[in-house]
Amino acid sequence: MNESQNQLSHCELVGCGSNEHFNRRTLLKVAGFSGISWLTPVAHQLARAEEQNRRKRPRSLIILWLEGAASQLETFDPHPGTEIAAGSKARNTSVNTIQLGEGLEQTAELMEHFAIVRSVVSREGDHERAIYNVKTGYRPDPTLVHPAIGSVVCHHFRQKDQGVVDIPRHVSVLAASAPARGGFLGNEYDAFKIGDPLRPIPDVRAPVDDQRFQRRVGDLRKLNALSSRQFNAPHLDAALNMMSSEQLKAFDISSVAASERNAYGDAPFGRGCLAAVQLIEAGVRCVEVTLPGWDSHANNHQIQAERISVLDPAMAALIRDLQRRDLLDQTIVVCAGEFGRTPFMNIASGRDHWPHGFSIALAGGGIQGGRVIGETNPHPKRDSADRLQDIKNPQPIENVHASILHALGIDHEQEFSTPIGRPMPICEGDVIPELFA
Amino acid sequence: MFTQSPHTKYLFFWTVFSVGLCAVVYSLWPQPRVSVPRTYRSNWYHQPKIAALITAIDKEYADRWENEGLSCADEVDTFRVIRRISLGLIGTIPSLEELRVLEKLPREQQVNWWVSRLLEDRRCSDYLAERFARIYVGVDDGPFIVFRRRRFVHWLSDQFYRNVGYDQIIRQLLAGDGLWTDSPAVNFITATIDVETGKPDPIRLAGRTSRAFLGIRMDCLQCHDDFLGNVALGDAEHLQGGVQSNFHELAAFFAQVQNNIGGVRDTLHSPAYRYQYLGDDEATSVAAAVPYGGSLVVSNDSLRKQLVEWMTHRDNRPVARTIVNRVWAILCGKPLVQPIDHLPLYGPFPPGLELLVDDFVEHGYDLHRLIRVIVGTKVFRLDSNANFEITSKHRRLWAVFPTSSLRPEQVAGSIIQSTSLQTIDASASILLQLAKFGQEQQFVERFGDWGEDELSAPPCSTVTQQLLMMNGEMIQDRLTQGFNAPQQAARLSPDETTIVTNAFLATLTRPPTEQERMHFCQQLSGLRGEERIAAIEDLYWTLINGGEFSWNY
């Protein structure tokens, strides 16, 4: 797809067709013909309207998934010098009042883009259940599989994307144990799983030469035609379209300049983040990039530091790249894991699971950066009968979901109907107003 | 003190080494293939009670169709029935090798023989165990250390293999004591252990119990009374909408269960189960009570045992109905009553269900017998197609066999089996079995596992699944590896007709039609060497990717 086609697709995606947009475009054309459009106050006004329109309706989501659960004390919620820090340090950021964990140097320089919710709470302390909880906004329910937030987003924009995006609109890069699922919305909203973007994309290239593949497809059509009964095979043409789509190039990072690639760090996660930017630019709605290995029950500081060294350059480069490509206003970036880690060390110098006050970082897509929401007690009482007393402004995980959906222009209070007709709210949380004020 | 001489040590070493070597050689050595099943009795379906039962079920359906003015589809050929049974009981289609053995039997004996063979086959008990484990403990790995899912599935497989009565299985699952390793049934309990408290969760246990055993979805009552009219509980004369207390009274049966270093045990003096109902200011003690059939409860020293005695009471028909409905769904791809885990307590029920329940209870909750009876019914042998217009009413009343897309593990199993000349069962080489296991796991992970809700309405197919089928690594490997069917067919088959016929039998469990045979023979005609091998690979690729392969019909 060439640049002009990209632009067209983009316009269609952000809701062109409105009178406002139509008039703007028509006026711009007229002004362009007269050669003075960019100098006129009208053009300035229209450009601002365009910017506001984008801010109003961000369109995509990137989830940086820290599987195994990062320690909030070594990343987004440091308490240097306290007992719970256990020696971990913090560093200043581009926002005077906010500190991040040591090692997040590049991210700290971009703090004005990030909002950190430091008081996220959930009731799930087991990896699998908590992953489900954080990815869907619901606790596991044996009677129903809830959709992950990326699936909800894809479902919401399905009509708008029809005929525009040939490749999967929901992609999971480096998915480890639990890639995002469509749940009761249907498995067409499951994330398409890929590995390290340097490796070939799975399943989209025919394993035989083109001539032979065409012969196979011809025989396949013949077999289906000869069958006495018509079995449903509705995706053959769509699959063939995808195999020949120019948009597949969005998965490919091999042609990106080495300097640009190196900025993300020399790791699969960094390459995944670079691919995520390209995919979002091509029209993909949600990309989840997984960085596993945070489960530091032993040697917490060493494990966290090593993982942070991979996360930091990739996350910072992602934000810079989105900004450079003028996509940051339309794309929400969320950095989260399934829970946090204990505000005390175990005998193996590790931190265990802690869902009672952990951090999620958000940026872009209308989120107001340079701020923190909520607070954890640097000297926690750790009363198991009342966990919330150590947290100011606690935010259940579903509130983060509501806020993301709200920022994407999706009514988080609307209801889905499950396959058995059970009404199910799209999200049970409330928007966190401080993220937008 | 006993001292060993050097000779004794050498002797011991070489003995162990030799035994190990023999075991490896034995496992790699071709075993006797497709033996006659031990439990096969040619007159099984002619036993008066069995014949009368199947006739009665068929009659209930025939009467219903007549009353509704419906025609039913014709019966299908035996190989289609064989394919349905295989997909239901072992999750794959039959191998070419097995079909060739079946062809030598009298046609009227083939189904009986085949069911007997599969019920003795470890593949069957393993496959059924995984299906049931999904309802009992879900698909997650669960709590660390205290939950052993693989151990649980293996134990369940043993129960099915030995045809232990279903009531006995319930007893062990719900009232078992001990460690999760040496008493694997208790993993049903430990799967719900809360990682923070270290205690089994009565609420999750109540939810599982109600759906898996009672066939009632009452999870919504955990938080509020039923206000949608979805849950009716109580006795037949006093049926009423479900209320919050119904759920928590069931949960209270698990209040005594504890887990400690000795494993799962009941602590008779543990604190009462407490819950704060919606609208109440504080939590109250909740006494254990069953949601229906209270007169069947007998007092016992432990609450769990009380629950088990009530559930396995011969008059507790909803429990038997639930398992009959589930086994029917496993065999037919669709349950008699939908949703599969939400059956009305007192009807109305579809034709045949109550007859099957009567027989199941009367014969000691015998699962093998239940499977054989279902397979023997006319409904199981009906075509999914008909020479009249099929309406939703025909489908609802089973006047045609339901068409259902294969589940991920069935697609994987069928691809692997269809591309192998040899049957991949417990007697196959250990290497073949390991390769199958690995390939199947990878394929299902990529295809998308349907999870614990797999027998409910199936999800639709997707573009990415189509891509996996066309270009996936596993299919390519299966087609091109030297010992697999396409390669062997190129070397061993005398002519094109044999190749095409075998390929259709191996993949679609039917011979090609004349048009199909002509078309594909033409594709192979005149080819030699590598070109011929490539054309045969293409033939298998086409059949596997064709619409028919991925459906149970």
Side-chain angles (χ1 to χ4, degrees):
Chain A
M1 181 176 275
N2 60 33
E3 191 63 29
S4 61
Q5 283 171 314
N6 256 335
Q7 290 301 317
L8 181 65
S9 307
H10 162 71
C11 288
E12 286 170 5
L13 285 168
V14 294
C16 290
S18 66
N19 287 336
E20 182 192 2
H21 204 151
F22 177 76
N23 292 337
R24 178 188 62 83
R25 172 171 288 188
T26 311
L27 276 171
L28 272 174
K29 278 181 184 169
V30 172
F33 280 125
S34 66
I36 56 168
S37 64
W38 62 279
L39 292 174
T40 63
V42 176
H44 278 290
Q45 288 297 319
L46 291 170
R48 289 184 66 172
E50 165 70 1
E51 194 178 330
Q52 281 171 359
N53 194 34
R54 280 189 188 176
R55 281 197 177 153
K56 223 187 312 177
R57 300 188 64 80
R59 63 178 181 125
S60 305
L61 176 63
I62 295 176
I63 298 172
L64 306 181
W65 182 251
L66 312 184
E67 187 153 307
S71 167
Q72 70 282 5
L73 291 158
E74 276 73 45
T75 53
F76 298 115
D77 188 15
H79 287 292
T82 62
E83 188 185 344
I84 64 172
S88 61
K89 295 176 181 154
R91 60 153 297 133
N92 293 329
T93 69
S94 58
V95 177
N96 287 338
T97 52
I98 302 174
Q99 286 193 316
L100 292 181
E102 190 181 37
L104 287 170
E105 271 79 15
Q106 296 189 47
T107 307
E109 296 303 318
L110 298 168
M111 192 62 225
E112 67 274 16
H113 293 293
F114 284 97
I116 300 173
V117 185
R118 283 179 168 166
S119 53
V120 182
V121 292
S122 85
R123 287 191 288 167
E124 297 296 350
D126 170 73
H127 286 292
E128 284 162 330
R129 291 178 63 83
I131 289 172
Y132 183 99
N133 188 204
V134 175
K135 288 193 176 182
T136 66
Y138 282 87
R139 298 182 77 192
D141 175 348
T143 61
L144 195 66
V145 180
H146 298 90
I149 190 163
S151 306
V152 172
V153 174
C154 290
H155 179 267
H156 181 83
F157 290 115
R158 64 194 183 284
Q159 283 173 339
K160 215 171 243 185
D161 293 346
Q162 203 165 24
V164 178
V165 188
D166 295 332
I167 57 178
R169 296 177 303 126
H170 190 189
V171 178
S172 181
V173 187
L174 300 165
S177 58
R181 301 290 304 268
F184 65 73
L185 291 180
N187 57 352
E188 68 265 40
Y189 297 104
D190 285 358
F192 179 70
K193 292 166 275 187
I194 66 165
D196 186 336
L198 273 187
R199 294 209 302 265
I201 322 159
D203 308 334
V204 296
R205 301 285 179 218
V208 294
D209 64 62
D210 189 54
Q211 193 182 3
R212 191 171 159 196
F213 184 72
Q214 293 307 325
R215 203 166 53 234
R216 282 182 171 187
V217 173
D219 274 350
L220 182 55
R221 293 193 194 281
K222 178 77 177 174
L223 178 73
N224 286 340
L226 286 176
S227 174
S228 58
R229 56 182 73 219
Q230 293 304 306
F231 289 99
N232 193 13
H235 300 300
L236 180 59
D237 290 329
L240 293 172
N241 274 347
M242 193 194 294
M243 288 173 67
S244 58
S245 172
E246 284 288 306
Q247 292 172 345
L248 279 178
K249 286 180 182 165
F251 287 98
D252 181 16
I253 61 160
S254 60
S255 55
V256 177
S259 58
E260 201 178 324
R261 248 170 46 191
N262 291 341
Y264 282 84
D266 183 22
F269 179 72
R271 295 191 280 275
C273 288
L274 173 56
V277 175
Q278 295 189 164
L279 288 164
I280 293 294
E281 195 168 35
V284 169
R285 285 293 179 188
C286 178
V287 186
E288 172 189 76
V289 191
T290 301
L291 178 59
W294 294 88
D295 200 14
S296 51
H297 290 284
N299 298 326
N300 174 75
H301 289 7
Q302 190 185 336
I303 289 172
Q304 297 290 323
E306 192 278 324
R307 293 287 80 186
I308 287 168
S309 70
V310 178
L311 171 67
D312 182 52
M315 185 158 63
L318 175 82
I319 298 295
R320 284 195 297 262
D321 216 354
L322 285 171
Q323 199 174 18
R324 184 174 62 79
R325 299 182 197 219
D326 199 21
L327 292 168
L328 189 56
D329 285 345
Q330 309 158 63
T331 309
I332 300 181
V333 179
V334 181
C335 182
E338 56 263 44
F339 33 64
R341 309 208 73 88
T342 46
F344 53 89
M345 306 292 274
N346 61 27
I347 53 166
S349 300
R351 295 190 191 272
D352 301 322
H353 304 171
W354 189 255
H356 315 294
F358 60 104
S359 300
I360 290 180
L362 301 101
I367 300 287
Q368 295 300 303
R371 61 185 60 190
V372 295
I373 291 107
E375 193 179 320
T376 53
N377 188 348
H379 308 287
K381 296 183 177 62
R382 294 185 356 223
D383 177 1
S384 59
D386 183 10
R387 298 285 193 195
L388 294 184
Q389 65 174 304
D390 288 331
I391 305 162
K392 274 190 191 161
N393 191 12
Q395 298 292 343
I397 189 67
E398 50 267 32
N399 286 5
V400 179
H401 275 249
S403 305
I404 295 169
L405 293 171
H406 173 74
L408 287 164
I410 300 171
D411 176 10
H412 69 281
E413 290 181 337
Q414 65 181 294
E415 284 188 344
F416 288 128
S417 180
T418 70
I420 61 163
R422 178 177 163 192
M424 177 63 57
I426 192 169
C427 170
E428 286 188 320
D430 299 316
V431 174
I432 304 171
E434 298 95 316
L435 285 171
F436 303 98
Chain B
M1 185 107 173
F2 177 74
T3 54
Q4 288 179 322
S5 70
H7 293 298
T8 312
K9 283 182 183 172
Y10 280 122
L11 185 65
F12 179 71
F13 170 77
W14 284 111
T15 307
V16 171
F17 180 78
S18 305
V19 169
L21 188 65
C22 289
V24 171
V25 170
Y26 177 78
S27 69
L28 296 174
W29 201 262
Q31 303 294 312
R33 310 297 310 159
V34 197
S35 53
V36 178
R38 295 185 311 275
T39 53
Y40 169 61
R41 303 282 177 272
S42 60
N43 64 346
W44 196 88
Y45 282 101
H46 299 297
Q47 297 172 76
K49 276 192 171 178
I50 299 290
L53 172 62
I54 291 174
T55 305
I57 295 169
D58 290 347
K59 184 170 183 315
E60 282 198 3
Y61 273 102
D63 290 347
R64 186 67 183 273
W65 296 332
E66 190 179 345
N67 291 340
E68 299 284 345
L70 296 176
S71 303
C72 72
D74 295 333
E75 291 192 20
V76 293
D77 62 80
T78 312
F79 272 16
R80 184 96 66 83
V81 178
I82 298 287
R83 187 174 189 269
R84 289 173 185 172
I85 298 168
S86 304
L87 286 168
L89 294 184
I90 56 174
T92 75
I93 52 178
S95 69
L96 183 61
E97 184 186 23
E98 289 167 325
L99 292 175
R100 292 302 186 204
V101 173
L102 279 165
E103 278 177 335
K104 292 175 187 162
L105 295 168
R107 187 170 295 271
E108 68 279 5
Q109 289 299 322
Q110 288 174 348
V111 169
N112 182 11
W113 191 92
W114 185 239
V115 179
S116 302
R117 170 169 158 72
L118 292 192
L119 289 176
E120 291 176 14
D121 192 327
R122 260 292 176 185
R123 287 180 296 172
C124 173
S125 55
D126 288 348
Y127 186 71
L128 292 180
E130 176 57 35
R131 309 278 74 76
F132 279 85
R134 288 174 176 237
I135 329 149
Y136 297 147
V137 296
V139 292
D140 291 341
D141 289 336
F144 187 52
I145 297 180
V146 294
F147 175 63
R148 291 281 184 273
R149 190 175 190 280
R150 285 180 65 81
R151 190 89 184 81
F152 180 75
V153 175
H154 193 73
W155 169 81
L156 210 47
S157 174
D158 281 346
Q159 310 308 301
F160 293 144
Y161 187 71
R162 294 191 286 119
N163 198 21
V164 172
Y166 185 64
D167 55 338
Q168 294 303 313
I169 295 176
I170 293 177
R171 282 174 197 279
Q172 295 184 71
L173 287 170
L174 286 171
D177 287 338
L179 276 175
W180 43 91
T181 44
D182 63 356
S183 303
V186 303
N187 283 287
F188 175 77
I189 305 285
T190 61
T192 67
I193 283 179
D194 185 301
V195 287
E196 285 213 352
T197 64
K199 293 177 183 170
D201 183 349
I203 288 179
R204 286 173 63 193
L205 282 166
R208 286 262 177 228
T209 302
S210 64
R211 274 176 281 108
F213 302 109
L214 309 182
I216 309 170
R217 281 186 178 184
M218 50 193 284
D219 301 71
C220 57
L221 303 182
Q222 180 189 331
C223 303
H224 54 78
D225 295 348
D226 174 39
F227 50 81
L228 295 173
N230 285 337
V231 188
L233 300 171
D235 294 326
E237 300 78 25
H238 305 102
L239 206 56
Q240 54 192 19
V243 292
Q244 251 192 305
S245 58
N246 290 133
F247 184 91
H248 292 284
E249 285 163 359
L250 182 63
F253 279 105
F254 298 100
Q256 295 173 332
V257 65
Q258 300 288 326
N259 183 54
N260 53 38
I261 197 161
V264 171
R265 290 275 181 282
D266 281 326
T267 308
L268 298 182
H269 304 295
S270 57
Y273 177 78
R274 295 175 66 80
Y275 190 80
Q276 185 176 339
Y277 288 120
L278 187 66
D280 284 2
D281 294 330
E282 57 185 26
T284 50
S285 293
V286 181
V290 293
Y292 64 87
S295 61
L296 306 180
V297 178
V298 290
S299 61
N300 205 313
D301 54 349
S302 130
L303 287 172
R304 280 197 295 154
K305 287 189 176 121
Q306 278 183 39
L307 180 64
V308 160
E309 292 305 323
W310 170 75
M311 283 173 67
T312 55
H313 195 288
R314 287 172 58 95
D315 292 336
N316 194 338
R317 295 179 64 81
V319 173
R321 224 176 262 135
T322 302
I323 184 68
V324 169
N325 193 42
R326 190 164 289 277
V327 171
W328 184 284
I330 286 171
L331 286 165
C332 302
K334 181 184 141 190
L336 273 170
V337 182
Q338 286 182 309
I340 190 168
D341 51 6
H342 195 51
L343 288 76
L345 282 176
Y346 306 104
F349 301 113
L353 179 58
E354 291 302 273
L355 291 170
L356 286 167
V357 169
D358 288 341
D359 187 72
F360 184 60
V361 174
E362 190 183 331
H363 290 88
Y365 298 80
D366 182 339
L367 287 165
H368 286 195
R369 180 184 169 99
L370 174 64
I371 289 167
R372 287 177 190 272
V373 170
I374 292 173
V375 165
T377 60
K378 177 169 180 162
V379 165
F380 191 77
R381 295 164 189 241
L382 291 180
D383 200 344
S384 58
N385 212 355
N387 54 7
F388 51 81
E389 187 190 351
I390 298 172
T391 64
S392 57
K393 203 171 184 183
H394 286 97
R395 293 193 185 92
R396 186 164 43 84
L397 296 175
W398 295 84
V400 291
F401 189 80
T403 305
S404 57
S405 55
L406 300 192
R407 290 191 298 274
E409 85 284 353
Q410 291 176 321
V411 177
S414 298
I415 291 169
I416 292 167
Q417 184 57 78
S418 65
T419 50
S420 172
L421 281 185
Q422 193 184 349
T423 308
I424 309 177
D425 58 9
S427 65
S429 147
I430 189 73
L431 297 178
L432 261 182
Q433 292 183 60
L434 283 173
K436 177 183 184 247
F437 179 77
Q439 288 178 327
E440 194 173 302
Q441 297 288 313
Q442 282 181 7
F443 182 91
V444 169
E445 189 192 331
R446 188 125 196 98
F447 197 86
D449 195 326
W450 292 4
E452 64 185 272
D453 211 19
E454 60 180 7
L455 290 172
S456 299
C460 57
S461 62
T462 66
V463 177
T464 50
Q465 288 171 353
Q466 180 77 55
L467 286 167
L468 178 64
M469 293 292 285
M470 292 197 301
N471 307 325
E473 191 181 341
M474 190 262 263
I475 293 180
Q476 181 65 5
D477 285 350
R478 298 295 309 176
L479 295 179
T480 54
Q481 282 169 358
F483 291 104
N484 287 335
Q487 308 289 315
Q488 295 294 325
R491 292 189 190 96
L492 303 174
S493 301
D495 53 44
E496 286 81 23
T497 301
T498 309
I499 292 171
V500 172
T501 304
N502 284 347
F504 269 79
L505 281 170
T507 52
L508 306 180
T509 325
R510 68 169 175 85
T513 63
E514 188 55 23
Q515 279 182 308
E516 289 166 338
R517 190 189 61 75
M518 280 175 62
H519 174 77
F520 287 105
C521 282
Q522 203 173 9
Q523 302 286 70
L524 293 168
S525 175
L527 298 178
R528 291 288 174 272
E530 290 299 315
E531 278 188 343
R532 189 165 188 250
I533 293 174
I536 296 171
E537 287 170 11
D538 292 350
L539 167 62
Y540 274 82
W541 181 93
T542 304
L543 294 172
I544 287 170
N545 275 279
E548 186 174 346
F549 182 84
S550 299
W551 291 88
N552 187 6
Y553 65 100

